[in-house]
Amino acid sequence: MLNKFRQFQNALLKTLDTKHARYFYDELLNDEKLLAIVGARGVGKTTTLLQYLKNHNLSNSQKLYVSIDWCDSETLFEIAEEFYKHEGKLLIIDEIHKYPNFEKELKNIYDIFDLRVVISGSSALSINHAKADLSRRVLKKEVKGLSFREFLEFKYDISLPVFELADVFKKHIDLSYEILQMIDKPSILPAFKEFLANGYYPFYFQNQDSSSYLLKLKETINVVLEIDIPSISNIKYSTTRKFKKLIEFICSSSPYTPNMQTLLAKMDMHKNEYSELYTYLDYLQKAKILRLSKSANKKDAILTKPEKIYLNNPNLHFAYCDYKERGTLREVFFVSMLEGYNLFVPKQGDFLIEDSYIVEVGGKGKGFKQVKDIDNSFVAADDIEIGSGDKIPLWLFGFLY
């Protein structure tokens, strides 16, 4: 049994790119017995897991990578048992969300064998609500697409620092000069424009051709809609047509402030299907296709209409939308780079971050009219390399991870 998996594993390792590592590589270095790496398709989970496997100082016989796609009649428990009998120590299981009722088998593997297990799965996978008390045994790490910082590292083969959010607001002039000196290019703005169109998913660097990248991106999202989401829910394949209609509708907005009745009509749903609509929006957000931003006034409400609905990242606009509105792209970039922070839509300004900072996003001519007389308010401005006062280059928010 193990020989088959080792042959497939070795074939992947021969062609593995070890030159660049994602920001979450270091998350794998802890000693948690069961670790879950959860993120959208295409963000580099498999590559990072294989890099970790290859670099680990265990002997080759003590570490094993298994993709669920390779499993025929073997169960996860049988694979783990056989591996453990042969003195295995590190077992990596990729695409776990494709395996039916994986929770129970992982629980038994955790309880019976002295193995370190690292799993990866779709971002739509909800281990927090998994069966068999798995949630209290597993450490879950949600991972994102490339930051603008990582994009520059991949593009120019350099190493760049990560900045704290507070420092971006307080020290943005010094930080901007530091980065511009490190990249040593006439301007950072062309690379930023390239990132907005093509840079969020690492597979862009396979050939750096925009047309083939956007085609692959669209195919990747279709797999999420047609296979991944139905595989972990009771949503039928036919419902994915409604998902695609919703994406097309959001493309035509800048950005979309939802009217739920309008959404129901656009998705060919009945007027009384509000609950189903909220469920669909939740799945699309978990699958990293949409971002839902709540109003600051309703941030503690569990079930409430989102104030704004965005596509997950700017690249999706270039893959799906005929018209790319620059203002929308700026906002989508901003919210994608601040994923993981508490971010809401305030009465004045575009975003409230961590209940501390009000940010208005715009072009280089953007003023402070919308946030006038508000403490701790800032403008994140596109098309500038260096800011001044409370006006910060938009691109600098791409250095938070």
Side-chain angles (χ1 to χ4, degrees):
M1 180 198 304
L2 297 183
N3 286 338
K4 175 183 74 173
F5 296 126
R6 292 198 188 282
Q7 288 176 1
F8 293 156
Q9 168 191 294
N10 292 337
L12 290 178
L13 292 177
K14 285 179 181 179
T15 59
L16 180 66
D17 174 21
T18 57
K19 192 175 184 180
H20 303 109
R22 289 298 322 277
Y23 78 95
F24 57 88
Y25 179 88
D26 289 345
E27 302 281 3
L28 298 169
L29 303 180
N30 66 47
D31 57 358
E32 288 290 333
K33 186 175 181 182
L34 179 56
L35 174 66
I37 301 297
V38 182
R41 276 186 177 270
V43 298
K45 300 187 300 295
T46 296
T47 298
T48 304
L49 291 174
L50 288 168
Q51 289 173 336
Y52 171 63
L53 183 89
K54 186 172 184 176
N55 295 336
H56 203 292
N57 57 13
L58 287 171
S59 67
N60 289 330
S61 63
Q62 294 177 310
K63 53 189 180 182
L64 181 67
Y65 168 90
V66 175
S67 172
I68 294 301
D69 291 332
W70 301 346
C71 298
D72 297 318
S73 59
E74 309 94 342
T75 68
L76 289 181
F77 187 85
E78 289 170 346
I79 294 169
E81 182 180 33
E82 184 73 9
F83 182 51
Y84 181 70
K85 287 179 179 178
H86 288 80
E87 300 183 347
K89 297 291 184 183
L90 172 63
L91 177 62
I92 296 176
I93 306 172
D94 205 0
E95 304 275 20
I96 190 74
H97 61 280
K98 295 181 179 180
Y99 190 90
N101 301 314
F102 66 88
E103 303 96 334
K104 184 177 180 180
E105 291 197 44
L106 280 180
K107 175 186 177 296
N108 290 334
I109 292 170
Y110 180 98
D111 291 342
I112 295 172
F113 304 123
D114 184 19
L115 284 173
R116 182 172 193 226
V117 180
V118 180
I119 63 175
S120 84
S122 164
S123 55
L125 172 69
S126 183
I127 290 178
N128 284 337
H129 297 91
K131 303 172 187 174
D133 290 329
L134 183 63
S135 59
R136 64 184 177 85
R137 291 171 168 81
V138 64
L139 176 65
K140 185 176 75 169
K141 294 292 184 180
E142 294 254 7
V143 300
K144 302 167 277 194
L146 289 178
S147 65
F148 182 47
R149 179 194 70 85
E150 291 180 288
F151 173 80
L152 293 172
E153 287 190 332
F154 281 39
K155 182 177 177 64
Y156 297 132
D157 194 22
I158 55 178
S159 180
L160 296 168
V162 174
F163 298 137
E164 296 293 330
L165 181 63
D167 289 337
V168 170
F169 285 112
K170 294 177 182 177
K171 305 176 182 178
H172 63 88
I173 296 176
D174 290 339
L175 300 184
S176 297
Y177 274 115
E178 178 183 345
I179 296 304
L180 294 176
Q181 290 172 0
M182 293 181 74
I183 66 169
D184 193 26
K185 300 293 178 183
S187 173
I188 199 172
L189 298 180
F192 183 60
K193 185 177 180 180
E194 181 183 3
F195 175 78
L196 293 180
N198 304 300
Y200 191 74
Y201 300 88
F203 58 79
Y204 171 61
F205 288 95
Q206 292 175 358
N207 58 24
Q208 298 189 49
D209 176 74
S210 179
S211 297
S212 60
Y213 167 76
L214 293 175
L215 178 61
K216 182 175 180 179
L217 175 54
K218 200 163 186 177
E219 292 171 348
T220 299
I221 299 302
N222 285 340
V223 170
V224 175
L225 295 174
E226 296 169 4
I227 297 176
D228 289 352
I229 293 179
S231 74
I232 60 161
S233 68
N234 58 2
I235 289 175
K236 298 177 181 178
Y237 173 79
S238 58
T239 303
T240 62
R241 290 184 61 254
K242 297 178 180 179
F243 291 161
K244 292 175 182 178
K245 284 187 176 183
L246 178 59
I247 292 172
E248 291 173 1
F249 183 56
I250 292 172
C251 275
S252 65
S253 309
S254 55
Y256 180 57
T257 301
N259 178 297
M260 304 311 277
Q261 286 283 5
T262 302
L263 275 183
L264 287 170
K266 290 291 182 181
M267 295 177 70
D268 296 330
M269 298 174 68
H270 299 296
K271 292 182 179 180
N272 62 348
E273 292 185 298
Y274 280 103
S275 177
E276 289 85 352
L277 178 56
Y278 279 111
T279 298
Y280 294 165
L281 291 175
D282 182 57
Y283 274 123
L284 291 171
Q285 176 163 252
K286 287 178 179 177
K288 307 297 184 182
I289 296 172
L290 297 183
R291 291 185 188 274
L292 312 180
S293 294
K294 287 185 178 181
S295 166
N297 294 330
K298 301 176 181 178
K299 58 186 177 182
D300 295 324
I302 297 174
L303 186 63
T304 184
K305 184 188 78 171
E307 189 68 20
K308 292 183 180 180
I309 301 178
Y310 301 94
L311 295 186
N312 178 268
N313 62 81
N315 292 184
L316 294 181
H317 282 266
F318 285 85
Y320 278 95
C321 306
D322 293 331
Y323 174 68
K324 276 73 71 175
E325 206 274 327
R326 185 70 178 183
T328 301
L329 292 175
R330 292 166 180 153
E331 290 191 27
V332 173
F333 165 79
F334 187 84
V335 296
S336 66
M337 294 297 100
L338 277 91
E339 182 178 330
Y341 290 89
N342 291 313
L343 186 149
F344 300 96
V345 180
K347 285 186 176 180
Q348 290 178 268
D350 288 322
F351 302 106
L352 169 65
I353 307 163
E354 298 293 342
D355 285 327
S356 298
Y357 309 101
I358 295 285
V359 177
E360 181 76 13
V361 178
K364 64 180 179 181
K366 188 71 174 181
F368 289 80
K369 181 179 179 180
Q370 284 89 344
V371 291
K372 184 180 179 182
D373 300 326
I374 300 178
D375 292 337
N376 241 20
S377 60
F378 302 83
V379 167
D382 196 6
D383 296 319
I384 64 171
E385 293 192 315
I386 304 289
S388 63
D390 293 330
K391 195 169 192 174
I392 304 170
L394 179 60
W395 62 262
L396 192 58
F397 288 93
F399 280 74
L400 298 174
Y401 68 90

